Amino acid sequence: MADLYNLLGELDEREDEEQDFFKGRPSAAGTEATAEQSEWGSPSRSPVEADVPLVLQQAHRDKDIGAEEDFGQVLLEGEEDIPVENELYTKLHRHWFQERHCPELLEFDDDMAQDIKTHLEDRQDWLDQQEGVTDAVEDLMVTLTQMDTERVRFVFSDWLTRRIAKIEAHPLYMREKIEHMSDGELGYLKSYGELYESHLRNTVLDHVPEAWQRLDEENMISKPDYDSYHFWLAKDTIDKNDTEHEKGTCLVAKYKDMREMMIEEKVELQL
């Protein structure tokens, strides 16, 4: 074992000697570059810059700046006053995610919806103005902007679609959630409720005893499943069942047990 250690030590010493030798030795490429500079009297261009198109050279120089900037914060050309609101998209994504996993209809954020609509319209106007661009970098920016716009449009559309699906699933119960709806959703509930009641009367209610024809009885109204279990993230220190849970703790609990804390923004629905 002692011989092995000595052998490894000798190899390390030789390695250090070779590195010291090559550090002080000028490379062939460096010698040629110095000679070329002396011959022409000015620094020569690097082979990379000489062969790469100017457009790609500029993109290469700007890549560090672009990497540091979040794409959601890039300003569109000619629209300095209309940045892509990354905070707005984050808010929309949070509403969409919670609406997907929450059994009940959550409160509609009208201000956010109007901001998203305005943002999408401004984006589409800018895209329409860029039709026919020939510059490679500008064409790439148009493509990326189009992809980002479609992403926002999909999330926004799916958020609204899921809300409508909840209204259709429990139309009678949704009469208790009117304050959570937008004007459009409220109008949809009224129209859908009339069709729902008409369908039930034509197919079932008119053919059963009158005592069974009431739709507003408690046992006739379908409700969301508030007893379902979900994953929750504690956004603050909370006390649940005489147990203190610190901020950042992940919990599994029934929706009805955590609903009030979710409204108070003490916990966040995860799944």
Side-chain angles (χ1 to χ4, degrees):
M1 184 62 69
D3 294 338
L4 177 60
Y5 287 145
N6 292 333
L7 178 60
L8 293 175
E10 291 177 4
L11 291 176
D12 290 339
E13 290 177 2
R14 290 182 184 178
E15 224 176 84
D16 294 338
E17 291 175 359
E18 290 179 358
Q19 290 179 358
D20 293 339
F21 173 76
F22 283 111
K23 281 182 181 178
R25 181 180 177 181
S27 64
T31 305
E32 292 177 1
T34 305
E36 185 178 352
Q37 181 174 352
S38 302
E39 181 180 353
W40 294 98
S42 61
S44 61
R45 292 186 303 166
S46 68
V48 175
E49 291 188 355
D51 298 334
V52 177
L54 294 177
V55 172
L56 295 182
Q57 290 182 30
Q58 184 62 36
H60 178 72
R61 296 188 190 100
D62 297 342
K63 72 176 182 178
D64 293 335
I65 300 175
E68 294 175 358
E69 291 179 345
D70 187 352
F71 180 71
Q73 297 292 342
V74 176
L75 294 176
L76 302 180
E77 182 179 354
E79 295 191 7
E80 289 81 0
D81 297 333
I82 310 175
V84 179
E85 295 289 352
N86 204 37
E87 182 179 351
L88 180 61
Y89 176 74
T90 301
K91 187 176 182 180
L92 170 64
H93 191 276
R94 184 172 62 253
H95 277 68
W96 171 62
F97 186 83
Q98 292 191 340
E99 199 72 60
R100 287 171 57 192
H101 301 292
C102 182
E104 69 173 323
L105 186 70
L106 298 177
E107 188 173 357
F108 185 83
D109 192 334
D110 188 64
D111 292 337
M112 183 200 70
Q114 293 301 324
D115 290 342
I116 289 291
K117 290 178 182 178
T118 302
H119 171 67
L120 291 174
E121 291 173 359
D122 293 338
R123 271 293 190 88
Q124 192 59 52
D125 290 342
W126 183 85
L127 289 170
D128 294 340
Q129 295 173 7
Q130 305 306 309
E131 290 185 1
V133 295
T134 56
D135 182 77
V137 174
E138 290 183 1
D139 183 63
L140 176 61
M141 286 302 301
V142 169
T143 301
L144 293 176
T145 303
Q146 180 67 48
M147 292 172 60
D148 188 62
T149 303
E150 293 300 328
R151 177 188 63 163
V152 176
R153 184 176 286 116
F154 166 78
V155 174
F156 184 59
S157 176
D158 194 63
W159 173 57
L160 296 176
T161 301
R162 291 181 182 276
R163 293 179 61 85
I164 292 296
K166 291 182 180 181
I167 293 176
E168 293 180 350
H170 311 285
L172 298 178
Y173 173 78
M174 286 301 163
R175 294 177 299 180
E176 302 177 10
K177 295 291 182 179
I178 292 178
E179 68 280 0
H180 287 185
M181 300 181 189
S182 65
D183 294 339
E185 290 172 342
L186 183 57
Y188 183 83
L189 174 62
K190 292 179 179 179
S191 300
Y192 185 81
E194 292 174 358
L195 292 174
Y196 183 74
E197 182 179 1
S198 176
H199 170 72
L200 289 180
R201 292 200 176 279
N202 292 333
T203 56
V204 179
L205 299 180
D206 288 344
H207 307 286
V208 297
E210 185 176 354
W212 296 351
Q213 293 182 7
R214 295 178 58 86
L215 293 175
D216 55 355
E217 292 185 2
E218 186 69 19
N219 58 352
M220 291 291 291
I221 299 177
S222 63
K223 299 179 181 180
D225 184 11
Y226 283 15
D227 289 324
S228 57
Y229 283 88
H230 297 269
F231 286 90
W232 303 87
L233 177 65
K235 300 175 66 177
D236 199 354
T237 301
I238 60 174
D239 188 3
K240 191 66 178 173
N241 297 331
D242 298 330
T243 303
E244 187 177 273
H245 301 283
E246 297 181 355
K247 178 181 179 181
T249 304
C250 187
L251 306 172
V252 178
K254 290 184 178 181
Y255 180 80
K256 66 179 182 181
D257 295 334
M258 306 295 288
R259 183 172 178 270
E260 292 300 325
M261 291 188 182
M262 183 188 72
I263 295 175
E264 296 172 358
E265 297 185 354
K266 293 182 178 180
V267 296
E268 184 174 305
L269 180 63
Q270 294 293 297
L271 195 61

